[in-house]
Amino acid sequence: MTRKVVVIGAGFAGLQLVKDLKGADCEITLIDQRNHHLFQPLLYQVATTLLATSEIAWPIRRLMRRRKDVTTLLATVVGIDRAGREVILKSGARVPFDILVIATGARHAYFGNDQWEKDAPGLKTLEDATTIRRRLLLAFERAEVTEDEAERGALLTFAVIGAGPTGVELVGIIAELAQHVLPQEFRHIDTRKSRIMLIEAGPRILSAFPQGLSDYAAHSLGRHGVEVRTGIPVTAVSEDGIVLGDQPIPARTVIWAAGVQASPAAEWLGVEADRAGRVVVGDHLALPDDPAIFVIGDTAHVVSDGRPVPGVAPAAKQQGVHVARVIRARLADRPEPAAFRYHGIGNLATIGRNAAIIDFGRVRLKGRLAWWVWGIAHIYFLIGTRSRLAVALSWLWSFLARQNTARLITQKETLRDTD
Amino acid sequence: MTRKVVVIGAGFAGLQLVKDLKGADCEITLIDQRNHHLFQPLLYQVATTLLATSEIAWPIRRLMRRRKDVTTLLATVVGIDRAGREVILKSGARVPFDILVIATGARHAYFGNDQWEKDAPGLKTLEDATTIRRRLLLAFERAEVTEDEAERGALLTFAVIGAGPTGVELVGIIAELAQHVLPQEFRHIDTRKSRIMLIEAGPRILSAFPQGLSDYAAHSLGRHGVEVRTGIPVTAVSEDGIVLGDQPIPARTVIWAAGVQASPAAEWLGVEADRAGRVVVGDHLALPDDPAIFVIGDTAHVVSDGRPVPGVAPAAKQQGVHVARVIRARLADRPEPAAFRYHGIGNLATIGRNAAIIDFGRVRLKGRLAWWVWGIAHIYFLIGTRSRLAVALSWLWSFLARQNTARLITQKETLRDTD
């Protein structure tokens, strides 16, 4: 009889897996707690008013409409009954499986300081992005009306904690906003005087890149008016701002880009996890003691060629591809493929307008050319002609007209916050 | 010394007024409780997943960036001190004025049944639109998973109360969604079996149009699978659904498009208002006893050629134009212009895909041609090339690919609602 494959999570890993199972002899149930697949590499642009939410997210049902073998379920998973072979939903309903693939991703982590989240939101979901967008825009609005000098200073101080690609990309656009997009629009403040800080506890920014490229990035951010502070940990975060080492810095807008914590998959399964909460998996990305339960993407601790596989989209997709192969082989009683190996394509990061760095190993690019390569690559990886056109249009506009098109404050909080 | 002009509300009326005051010898403060101007005629398309929020809204500051004589203020007005000539903000701050223009628009009204709002939201703001969008999409999601026959029926019943242009346009797209966009995507339900009702207490739909056109509209909606019920009042609304006359109709999604109530401007001013709460104004759209306080747009009860002026965008703009003329004349000590007269251009309404009706008085159009005229007219009235391109692209896509591009459920409620 047809085997039941249940996939939890429609991110890069889960979606790739389902795509590659097309035509296989199984019934697939794809469960996600949101109704959309999100193109996370561009989420920071939604948070910083460059892109609209609908430009980087697609209804999962829509993507699966022609796959009659796939049933999409909008639901939240709260547990897994390994003995009974069932996924347990928040509603109490249970979804039986023969083969289970967990691709539930990660959230940002505060290293035991969860109380910081309220004042230093992270960036993983569309809600995170619109929350950060709202705070960013309201800070300028409040600075415009306040009579209090010190308060104005705190409102015009923006601190991004964590200098990985996301942190760097965030400060890049915030600087662009303050320097070029907003100045004309305010009458009482000069947004160009904003203090935009990128804070990194480690010795340098973009530590995944070669020294040369990360030096270039730091220099380039400096020219964009960003204050880069490395080698100093943030010791406290509150509604007043942050404490850097022992120096308090009043800041009304603080964004967290410093760390991630895997989804609670390990708890669901009752298995070993690494420090980041990722499930430790074997050669075929399945549980060592249960080959029918796979864990892939940011939820999995995967080692390839003796090195841990990074939590990036290409890695997640490659894992989806591999597990699809393994499942197909098993369904057809064919021998399983060789163990998973990660093929790193390269690292990319943008640094605001006209600058980016790319590390393809042998080939390294920086500056304007890298920026164009970065943009074209990302448009290529978007889903569907329509999104590509829409994103290209938005980028063209902010590039030519220096107008960011997604500058709406829609949450109800607007009123409370400003009055 | 330069006169202080304060404008409350950046809708069609307020924005037009400020535009037309360009170069006049005055300092303008433009106050709005949102950071964006909204193109309300297309709001129903945001509510029904056709357009993204950022496609029909523009940051007010952005629109005013080159007007150094205009200060934009994001704030909520709570009162007006007529004697002290000051506008009172929620924050307690006060904004002095020599000339005041109130253009604060209207909200939907429940004719003394405000408790209905919770279960039958209206459509005036972007938040209203995203709320309705979420309910609409979640109804299909829940119908897909429920085991309860009756519940499924209620979830697939959509009732729009009020058959003015907004009501008609809403059911038109909901029908399009259920009939053509969604069917492929669900596995357990047939969205084409949805019951989509348009309810009107009056004798016919689109009563502002000639009998012939409203008959055509009703017939056309019928062909789109919409159940049109006229001449029956809704006597109750609850979370279970509605009561039509004395017949209960279980429906989980009910939308209110039946009536509007003006903003509380009349209370602020302590002046006479009509039944809809609109301020009764004189020839120059100012208070009869205070020529320096103007009220325009949906907040004003204006009579032209013995007939009340309708609450439509062109009327609001014309009032903005007129008051700007009056103010300019006064600032320059020139004689004031003739009394305000409304020039009705015509009435337009779409009926889902490929059908619309237009009444230019002498000329009347219906069907496909009218639909294209309607679309081109609306794109023309959008602000900026970028929005025009974006909206045109979204429309083209839903027309050719039958894919609605703004189908995201982003509010946190998602989880609670579906699990």
Side-chain angles (χ1 to χ4, degrees):
Chain A
M1 104 299 186
T2 345
R3 234 76 67 83
K4 289 186 174 56
V5 176
V6 173
V7 180
I8 310 174
F12 287 112
L15 219 50
Q16 185 66 54
L17 169 91
V18 173
K19 278 196 193 118
D20 285 20
L21 282 179
K22 185 172 185 178
D25 177 28
C26 57
E27 284 172 4
I28 302 169
T29 303
L30 177 55
I31 305 173
D32 199 290
Q33 58 183 352
R34 317 208 167 256
N35 83 324
H36 52 269
H37 166 71
L38 180 63
F39 192 79
Q40 265 183 359
L42 290 179
L43 190 57
Y44 75 96
Q45 295 203 355
V46 173
T48 49
T49 76
L50 218 53
L51 294 178
T53 51
S54 55
E55 290 173 348
I56 62 161
W58 305 267
I60 298 160
R61 287 193 182 288
R62 187 78 212 172
L63 299 174
M64 294 298 147
R65 68 190 182 283
R66 295 209 176 79
R67 290 288 299 277
K68 300 304 175 192
D69 56 324
V70 178
T71 302
T72 305
L73 207 57
L74 175 66
T76 300
V77 171
V78 291
I80 291 162
D81 175 355
R82 284 180 65 175
R85 307 314 261 180
E86 288 181 324
V87 172
I88 304 161
L89 304 182
K90 203 167 165 191
S91 63
R94 289 166 161 260
V95 184
F97 64 84
D98 298 308
I99 297 170
L100 176 64
V101 182
I102 301 174
T104 41
R107 285 286 299 170
H108 34 272
Y110 291 83
F111 312 124
N113 295 297
D114 291 354
Q115 73 281 9
W116 291 0
E117 179 158 25
K118 181 176 58 63
D119 300 304
L123 185 60
K124 276 284 174 192
T125 68
L126 281 179
E127 290 88 353
D128 294 337
T130 49
T131 300
I132 289 172
R133 178 195 293 177
R134 177 173 57 82
R135 292 193 183 191
L136 208 56
L137 295 171
L138 285 176
F140 290 107
E141 294 291 340
R142 298 211 199 94
E144 173 80 351
V145 292
T146 185
E147 302 296 326
D148 177 335
E149 192 68 38
E151 174 66 9
R152 193 179 306 123
L155 283 165
L156 291 179
T157 302
F158 303 87
V160 174
I161 303 170
T166 302
V168 168
E169 287 166 329
L170 279 168
V171 286
I173 303 192
I174 295 171
E176 172 75 13
L177 261 178
Q179 297 296 327
H180 303 292
V181 178
L182 298 179
Q184 281 182 296
E185 303 184 13
F186 291 84
R187 301 292 174 254
H188 304 308
I189 57 170
D190 180 352
T191 62
R192 286 166 303 189
K193 297 216 173 81
S194 303
R195 185 181 188 188
I196 299 158
M197 306 179 72
L198 177 64
I199 296 156
E200 170 58 48
R204 61 187 179 97
I205 70 171
L206 297 170
S207 53
F209 288 81
Q211 180 81 46
L213 290 180
S214 85
D215 290 348
Y216 166 80
H219 176 72
S220 169
L221 284 173
R223 275 192 291 102
H224 281 76
V226 175
E227 184 181 335
V228 178
R229 304 287 295 270
T230 53
I232 317 165
V234 169
T235 52
V237 176
S238 72
E239 59 181 11
D240 300 328
I242 60 175
V243 177
L244 198 50
D246 51 15
Q247 173 199 14
I249 296 172
R252 291 281 169 278
T253 311
V254 181
I255 305 174
W256 187 262
V260 294
Q261 177 72 25
S263 71
E267 295 164 32
W268 297 343
L269 297 166
V271 298
E272 181 195 359
D274 69 7
R275 259 180 61 264
R278 290 174 303 196
V279 175
V280 178
V281 293
D283 285 354
H284 286 316
L285 312 176
L287 298 183
D289 65 340
D290 194 337
I293 296 182
F294 299 87
V295 185
I296 57 178
D298 291 352
T299 316
H301 175 97
V302 182
V303 175
S304 172
D305 303 324
R307 284 196 308 282
V309 175
V312 295
K317 286 183 175 183
Q318 287 177 29
Q319 293 172 40
V321 170
H322 182 80
V323 170
R325 278 207 202 99
V326 175
I327 292 175
R328 279 175 168 285
R330 289 194 198 158
L331 291 175
D333 294 314
R334 281 188 274 102
E336 297 191 342
F340 172 77
R341 281 192 64 197
Y342 170 60
H343 303 285
I345 295 132
N347 279 329
L348 296 75
T350 45
I351 313 147
R353 192 182 172 83
N354 270 325
I357 58 176
I358 302 181
D359 173 22
F360 286 129
R362 279 184 211 74
V363 184
R364 292 175 185 176
L365 294 175
K366 62 187 183 192
R368 190 180 295 260
L369 173 63
W371 191 68
W372 283 97
V373 173
W374 174 92
I376 289 159
H378 279 72
I379 283 185
Y380 172 80
F381 283 115
L382 291 170
I383 299 175
T385 316
R386 199 266 167 195
S387 301
R388 295 189 181 111
L389 287 173
V391 170
L393 179 63
S394 295
W395 284 354
L396 192 71
W397 230 254
S398 67
F399 184 74
L400 298 177
R402 286 188 184 263
Q403 290 193 20
N404 297 3
T405 48
R407 278 178 42 203
L408 307 176
I409 306 174
T410 47
Q411 285 96 327
K412 289 271 183 298
E413 290 81 355
T414 313
L415 312 185
R416 246 188 292 116
D417 283 355
T418 48
D419 297 321
Chain B
M1 106 297 189
T2 339
R3 235 76 68 81
K4 290 185 171 56
V5 176
V6 173
V7 181
I8 310 174
F12 287 111
L15 218 50
Q16 185 66 53
L17 170 92
V18 174
K19 276 193 193 126
D20 285 21
L21 281 178
K22 185 173 187 179
D25 176 28
C26 57
E27 284 171 4
I28 302 170
T29 304
L30 176 56
I31 305 173
D32 199 289
Q33 57 182 349
R34 318 210 164 253
N35 84 322
H36 51 270
H37 166 72
L38 181 63
F39 191 80
Q40 266 184 357
L42 290 180
L43 191 57
Y44 75 96
Q45 295 204 353
V46 173
T48 50
T49 77
L50 219 51
L51 294 178
T53 51
S54 55
E55 290 172 349
I56 62 162
W58 304 269
I60 297 162
R61 288 193 183 285
R62 186 78 211 172
L63 299 174
M64 294 297 146
R65 67 191 184 283
R66 295 208 175 81
R67 291 288 300 277
K68 301 303 176 194
D69 56 325
V70 178
T71 301
T72 305
L73 209 58
L74 175 66
T76 301
V77 171
V78 293
I80 290 162
D81 175 354
R82 285 182 65 177
R85 304 316 254 182
E86 288 181 324
V87 172
I88 304 161
L89 305 182
K90 203 167 162 192
S91 63
R94 288 165 163 260
V95 183
F97 66 83
D98 298 307
I99 297 170
L100 176 64
V101 183
I102 301 174
T104 41
R107 284 286 298 171
H108 34 271
Y110 292 82
F111 313 124
N113 296 298
D114 292 353
Q115 73 280 10
W116 291 1
E117 180 157 23
K118 180 174 59 62
D119 301 305
L123 185 61
K124 276 284 173 192
T125 67
L126 281 179
E127 290 87 352
D128 295 337
T130 47
T131 301
I132 289 173
R133 178 194 291 174
R134 179 172 55 83
R135 292 193 184 192
L136 208 55
L137 294 172
L138 285 176
F140 289 107
E141 293 292 341
R142 297 210 201 92
E144 173 81 350
V145 292
T146 184
E147 302 296 325
D148 178 335
E149 191 68 38
E151 175 66 10
R152 192 180 305 121
L155 283 164
L156 292 177
T157 302
F158 304 86
V160 174
I161 303 169
T166 303
V168 168
E169 288 167 329
L170 279 169
V171 285
I173 303 192
I174 294 171
E176 172 76 13
L177 260 179
Q179 298 296 328
H180 303 292
V181 178
L182 299 180
Q184 282 182 297
E185 302 183 13
F186 291 85
R187 302 289 173 257
H188 304 309
I189 57 170
D190 180 353
T191 62
R192 287 166 301 188
K193 297 217 173 82
S194 304
R195 186 182 188 188
I196 298 157
M197 306 179 73
L198 177 63
I199 296 156
E200 170 59 47
R204 63 187 178 95
I205 68 170
L206 296 170
S207 54
F209 288 81
Q211 181 80 49
L213 290 180
S214 84
D215 291 348
Y216 166 80
H219 176 69
S220 169
L221 284 173
R223 275 192 292 100
H224 281 77
V226 175
E227 184 180 335
V228 179
R229 305 286 296 268
T230 55
I232 317 164
V234 168
T235 53
V237 176
S238 74
E239 59 181 10
D240 300 329
I242 60 174
V243 177
L244 199 49
D246 50 16
Q247 174 199 11
I249 296 172
R252 292 282 168 278
T253 311
V254 181
I255 305 174
W256 188 262
V260 294
Q261 177 72 28
S263 71
E267 296 164 29
W268 297 343
L269 298 165
V271 297
E272 182 195 357
D274 68 5
R275 260 180 58 261
R278 292 175 302 199
V279 175
V280 179
V281 293
D283 285 354
H284 285 318
L285 312 175
L287 298 183
D289 64 341
D290 194 335
I293 297 182
F294 299 87
V295 185
I296 58 178
D298 291 353
T299 316
H301 176 96
V302 182
V303 176
S304 171
D305 303 323
R307 285 196 308 282
V309 175
V312 295
K317 286 183 174 181
Q318 288 177 30
Q319 293 173 40
V321 170
H322 182 81
V323 170
R325 280 210 199 95
V326 175
I327 293 175
R328 280 175 168 286
R330 288 195 197 156
L331 292 174
D333 294 315
R334 281 188 274 103
E336 298 192 341
F340 172 76
R341 281 193 63 197
Y342 169 59
H343 302 287
I345 297 135
N347 279 328
L348 295 76
T350 44
I351 313 148
R353 190 182 174 83
N354 271 323
I357 57 177
I358 302 181
D359 174 20
F360 286 129
R362 280 184 210 74
V363 183
R364 292 173 185 176
L365 295 175
K366 62 186 182 190
R368 189 180 295 262
L369 174 63
W371 191 68
W372 284 97
V373 172
W374 175 93
I376 289 158
H378 279 72
I379 284 186
Y380 173 80
F381 283 115
L382 290 170
I383 299 176
T385 316
R386 201 265 168 195
S387 302
R388 294 190 181 111
L389 288 173
V391 170
L393 179 63
S394 295
W395 283 354
L396 192 70
W397 230 255
S398 67
F399 183 74
L400 298 178
R402 287 187 185 261
Q403 292 194 18
N404 296 4
T405 47
R407 278 178 41 205
L408 307 176
I409 306 173
T410 47
Q411 286 95 327
K412 288 270 184 301
E413 290 80 357
T414 314
L415 313 185
R416 247 187 290 116
D417 284 357
T418 47
D419 298 323

